[in-house]
Amino acid sequence: MVDITIRGAGIFGLSIAWACVQRGAKVQIIDPNGAGSGSSGGVVGALAPHVPENWNLKKAFQLDSLLMAQNFWQEVEATGAVSAGYTQSGRIQPILDAAGLALAKQRTETARVHWKNNVTWSVEEIGDDAWMPASATGWVIRDTLSAHLHPRRACAALVAALAAQDVPITSEGKERGKVIWACGVEGLSMLNKERPRLVGNGVKGQAALLQFNAPGAAQIFADTVHIIPHLDGTVAVGSTSERDFDDPRSTDEKLDDIIDKARNAVPALKNAPVVQRWAGVRPRARSRAPMLGEWPGRTRHFIANGGFKIGFGMAPKIATVMADLVLENRNDIPQGFEVSASF
């Protein structure tokens, strides 16, 4: 007997399935395109917090999820024997001017107030490390909360862990038990057709992998670009945010600009060859927050969508609260994340 059917095998669907299985539920996953076939099969994988000020429920939820991530991915990797490429090696950001330096120092104090478990936000002078961004002031921000993983490998790690727990992922099948719709952009399109206003939309992103070996180094965020040193000897750079586009899978000069920005920001990447170019469309809910909860008007149906740029970072906590809701009828979804906020 199946307790839960999950429609969608992206990061939300796979993570929720994992949380439900750990509580003893019988789960099946249905995705006509296969696991990680949408934006969850990307290459960047930055798990980074919002700035530690103007504190709100979204930032608190994200913090909890980032603090949960290490144990979450360790358990997944131990069960399925496949690496997600997860490492909590922090993040470095160059400081551009005197005003930015003053603000960064102020955020050192707000991080002490809001962040937990000895993770820090600090301001330091640039050292001699080759893996360091250029900085006009000679100062950078370093936080120890940020982590990164390889999205494609993380999905594969969850698939392997779920297979070890006898969870099938099929291209089609009959829905059984309660149904969770975690269908990404396709799910938002389906919801848009039945609602009087736009529930959400897809935003295209382009990214690239460079061949450069810096495993275990901190990620860098510079000139609006994420620069992620994966454990496999590649460096991901990205990404664009395109509301208007013709071809969701094509790459163009917008990605060339991202690559140029990354090389200018981190001189060590100047001659690193591009080994892959990637594009995909990410689901953005109307509320800009993840959209979680019961599907209004559909008994025993639930929605988990709207990961946009923060889906992998939010996934451990989202998996927990969705398992709470579906299996235990306990609603810990924060204000602003409810389905009604986008409906």
Side-chain angles (χ1 to χ4, degrees):
M1 177 180 176
V2 173
D3 301 308
I4 305 291
T5 296
I6 296 178
R7 288 276 187 182
I11 184 58
F12 279 8
L14 294 171
S15 298
I16 294 167
W18 175 247
C20 290
V21 166
Q22 287 187 305
R23 301 189 195 190
K26 185 72 173 176
V27 179
Q28 66 171 353
I29 303 173
I30 301 172
D31 192 316
N33 301 310
S37 58
S39 60
S40 293
V43 298
V44 178
L47 312 181
H50 293 289
V51 293
E53 63 186 17
N54 299 322
W55 204 245
N56 57 37
L57 292 175
K58 183 177 181 180
K59 291 183 178 183
F61 189 98
Q62 183 195 47
L63 173 64
D64 287 344
S65 193
L66 291 173
L67 293 173
M68 294 167 63
Q70 185 169 16
N71 287 338
F72 180 92
W73 290 109
Q74 283 179 346
E75 291 176 359
V76 167
E77 291 174 342
T79 303
V82 172
S83 172
Y86 175 88
T87 178
Q88 188 175 347
S89 52
R91 175 182 58 174
I92 299 169
Q93 302 176 75
I95 299 174
L96 303 181
D97 52 34
L101 180 59
L103 182 58
K105 290 180 177 178
Q106 179 181 328
R107 287 171 174 166
T108 299
E109 299 303 318
T110 54
R112 288 195 185 104
V113 174
H114 298 298
W115 288 3
K116 307 172 185 176
N117 292 12
N118 298 318
V119 291
T120 60
W121 171 292
S122 60
V123 175
E124 60 186 56
E125 290 187 277
I126 282 187
D128 296 328
D129 185 355
W131 183 254
M132 186 66 71
S135 172
T137 62
W139 293 84
V140 295
I141 300 161
R142 185 186 296 271
D143 80 74
T144 60
L145 175 58
S146 295
H148 60 265
L149 47 66
H150 195 303
R152 205 169 293 163
R153 294 174 184 269
C155 287
L158 277 164
V159 169
L162 289 165
Q165 299 295 320
D166 298 320
V167 176
I169 301 175
T170 59
S171 60
E172 57 184 22
K174 181 179 179 181
E175 294 169 359
R176 295 182 174 87
K178 297 179 179 179
V179 183
I180 301 172
W181 295 79
C183 304
V185 173
E186 292 180 2
L188 291 179
S189 297
M190 178 176 57
L191 292 169
N192 286 335
K193 291 177 182 178
E194 67 170 41
R195 306 303 301 178
R197 66 177 184 176
L198 192 71
V199 172
N201 61 285
V203 179
K204 181 179 177 179
Q206 299 184 47
L209 284 177
L210 310 184
Q211 192 67 55
F212 188 87
N213 195 38
Q219 63 180 280
I220 292 171
F221 184 69
D223 198 8
T224 73
V225 176
H226 294 280
I227 302 166
I228 310 298
H230 287 310
L231 299 182
D232 64 359
T234 62
V235 172
V237 299
S239 60
T240 64
S241 290
E242 304 167 48
R243 297 287 294 272
D244 300 311
F245 52 88
D246 296 320
D247 185 348
R249 297 287 186 178
S250 66
T251 62
D252 54 29
E253 69 279 356
K254 295 183 182 69
L255 180 54
D256 295 333
D257 291 342
I258 291 287
I259 295 169
D260 288 343
K261 284 184 175 183
R263 286 177 168 157
N264 289 333
V266 183
L269 296 176
K270 181 178 180 181
N271 297 315
V274 177
V275 294
Q276 185 179 353
R277 297 166 68 94
W278 177 91
V281 182
R282 299 157 297 182
R284 177 185 179 277
R286 185 177 185 274
S287 67
R288 299 181 64 90
M291 181 170 53
L292 311 173
E294 297 184 45
W295 187 329
R298 287 201 183 191
T299 304
R300 293 166 61 84
H301 285 245
F302 303 81
I303 296 170
N305 208 320
F308 193 31
K309 296 180 180 181
I310 56 175
F312 279 86
M314 292 285 207
K317 181 74 169 181
I318 284 174
T320 298
V321 298
M322 288 301 295
D324 289 341
L325 179 64
V326 177
L327 297 178
E328 302 176 19
N329 198 32
R330 187 169 77 251
N331 190 343
D332 291 324
I333 296 169
Q335 184 179 3
F337 285 48
E338 313 98 324
V339 172
S340 59
S342 293
F343 268 41

